Amino acid sequence: MPHDHHDNHLDPMDARVRALETILTTKGLIDPAAVDAIVETYAERVGPQNGAAVVARAWTDPEFADWLTRDATAAVASMGFTGRQGEHMRAVFNTPGLHHVIVCTLCSCYPWSLLGLPPVWYKSPPYRSRVVIEPRAVLAEFGLVLPEETQIRVWDSTAELRYLVVPMRPEGTEGWSAEALAELVTRESMIGTGIARAPEGVA
Ligand code: FE
């Protein structure tokens, strides 16, 4: 029989989650269909397009950008994006001299309501430990090579406070609508392991 490693090898967190779901279901405390519905919501309906809409609005609406700087939780909620656990949001803005990156060194805290499900690498122990120690090297592995003079700041997310990176608006997008700009905002650019896409035809 072929041995399929992925089916048989649960990581400890997956195993704990499965065990908890089984116990809660057996005791009649949760309905597995409800759990599936929540997972489906985050997998298919809540995704990086929410965060991209926030970033594009900040690029085009200085008053909103100011609000996002002062009180990201309220600014983001005004667009209909709120966290399930009521966690607070903080937006950190990239500049030519300062680049922000987010991580959760303890587990996998992530701005779900804005970015959907976290990528697998975000939860991986190497990313969580190394990005704090050698962010420039880790970013280079993502294909992001920043100028030497650009400072990198790493933000450690928690259950209470989660971060959104607002990437710099790409050049050559003067006069673009927020809707068109949102197409340039990638998930990686809002984690800080990437930057916003350049528009077609702009190097
Ligand atoms: Fe966490």
Side-chain angles (χ1 to χ4, degrees), residues 6-202:
H6 293 284
D7 280 341
N8 295 332
H9 206 87
L10 274 179
D11 81 38
M13 185 61 82
D14 286 341
R16 294 181 76 90
V17 168
R18 282 202 195 181
L20 278 170
E21 187 176 348
T22 302
I23 292 165
L24 292 170
T25 303
T26 307
K27 290 188 172 293
L29 292 172
I30 58 166
D31 172 2
V35 174
D36 288 346
I38 292 169
V39 171
E40 192 200 302
T41 295
Y42 280 97
E44 286 165 27
R45 289 201 288 276
V46 178
Q49 70 273 13
N50 291 1
V54 171
V55 169
R57 180 145 173 220
W59 284 345
T60 52
D61 178 347
E63 267 179 43
F64 181 79
D66 184 56
W67 190 14
L68 193 62
T69 306
R70 287 182 287 105
D71 186 351
T73 310
V76 161
S78 78
M79 293 180 72
F81 309 132
T82 51
R84 292 188 65 81
Q85 302 93 11
E87 67 272 8
H88 291 285
M89 285 294 313
R90 179 164 172 198
V92 287
F93 291 68
N94 284 345
T95 66
L98 182 60
H99 182 90
H100 300 285
V101 188
I102 62 173
V103 65
C104 175
T105 55
L106 280 180
C107 44
S108 58
C109 298
Y110 187 72
W112 285 48
S113 55
L114 293 178
L115 300 186
L117 293 175
V120 171
W121 55 258
Y122 185 83
K123 299 182 278 185
S124 73
Y127 176 74
R128 286 160 38 204
S129 57
R130 287 186 54 226
V131 76
V132 180
I133 301 163
E134 43 175 358
R136 201 170 289 275
V138 170
L139 295 186
E141 288 166 26
F142 278 95
L144 178 58
V145 178
L146 295 168
E148 273 303 315
E149 59 273 21
T150 301
Q151 193 193 332
I152 302 173
R153 192 167 294 165
V154 181
W155 297 90
D156 196 356
S157 310
T158 67
E160 288 79 35
L161 184 58
R162 301 182 189 202
Y163 298 91
L164 174 74
V165 176
V166 179
M168 285 190 288
R169 178 171 172 164
E171 289 181 27
T173 58
E174 293 73 19
W176 282 39
S177 68
E179 199 175 44
L181 285 166
E183 298 290 321
L184 303 177
V185 184
T186 61
R187 176 178 68 182
E188 276 66 24
S189 73
M190 293 181 280
I191 299 174
T193 50
I195 57 173
R197 264 196 290 272
E200 294 283 332
V202 175

